[in-house]
Amino acid sequence: MTIPTWITLSRLLGLPFLLYGLHYPTTSSRWVCLVIFLIAASTDWLDGYLARKLNQVTDLGKFLDPLVDKLLILGPLLALIELGQVPAWGVFLILARELAIAGWRVNQTKISGANIWGKFKTVSQILAIALLIAPLPTNWQLYSVIAFWISVAFTLISGIIYVLPPNPSNNEFSQ
């Protein structure tokens, strides 16, 4: 296994601690969970960068990276449902999009990479989860929920855009 693949798998190591800390949340455990989550989320950029830089892009890495990303996002969201911070139906929309795109990719001969909407989705999900995990004052809770719904919107928009056929009029080669 390559270094980038090991880094991808390392994201999973923090997940049990994150889920345990959110199962019995205290102010200090929430801060610890926030740090774990942000470190794990930052490795998503690192493994991709190293895979390209070291010329170690592998089929295993292409398979594991999005799978581990989804576990890192959905795990805390499920814990936040249990805490009553986010509604299950909002998390279901995220889960449904992720499953639909994964199923759609199986039938594609060529997999396209993340577009700008996919990047907005990822950043908005990380930001929303970070705000929801952090033990912020009560007056910040509304902003955390708004961030969650923005991430749901970006998740759905990016899914729709991902499966839509490209517009030939936007193709630079058709001029």
Side-chain angles (χ1 to χ4, degrees):
M1 262 196 316
T2 65
I3 291 171
T5 302
W6 279 110
I7 292 170
T8 297
L9 289 173
S10 76
R11 286 200 292 282
L12 290 178
L13 296 176
L15 202 51
F17 299 102
L18 180 62
L19 295 176
Y20 181 80
L22 291 175
H23 188 66
Y24 301 105
T26 64
T27 300
S28 59
S29 71
R30 281 181 169 267
W31 284 119
V32 170
C33 288
L34 177 63
V35 169
I36 291 169
F37 177 73
L38 290 175
I39 289 171
S42 69
T43 66
D44 184 28
W45 172 83
L46 180 63
D47 63 13
Y49 172 79
L50 287 176
R52 290 183 296 277
K53 179 92 170 155
L54 301 173
N55 197 25
Q56 294 183 347
V57 176
T58 64
D59 288 338
L60 179 62
K62 287 190 241 181
F63 169 76
L64 285 177
D65 186 62
L67 175 64
V68 171
D69 291 348
K70 279 142 192 61
L71 293 173
L72 182 65
I73 294 300
L74 291 168
L77 285 175
L78 292 173
L80 293 165
I81 290 171
E82 188 175 37
L83 294 173
Q85 288 186 251
V86 295
W89 70 272
V91 175
F92 174 79
L93 292 174
I94 292 173
L95 175 61
R97 181 268 191 207
E98 299 301 347
L99 290 174
I101 295 300
W104 186 82
R105 284 180 174 161
V106 169
N107 294 317
Q108 301 304 304
T109 55
K110 184 176 184 219
I111 304 300
S112 60
N115 61 25
I116 191 70
W117 289 99
K119 294 181 189 307
F120 284 155
K121 172 200 76 123
T122 301
V123 170
S124 69
Q125 288 174 342
I126 291 168
L127 178 63
I129 293 168
L131 287 171
L132 289 160
I133 290 173
L136 299 174
T138 307
N139 59 335
W140 274 81
Q141 289 175 359
L142 176 62
Y143 299 112
S144 301
V145 173
I146 290 170
F148 169 73
W149 287 112
I150 290 170
S151 76
V152 171
F154 278 139
T155 299
L156 297 175
I157 291 167
S158 69
I160 291 166
I161 290 171
Y162 191 87
V163 298
L164 286 178
N167 184 350
S169 65
N170 290 340
N171 186 345
E172 63 186 275
F173 300 108
S174 66
Q175 298 177 359

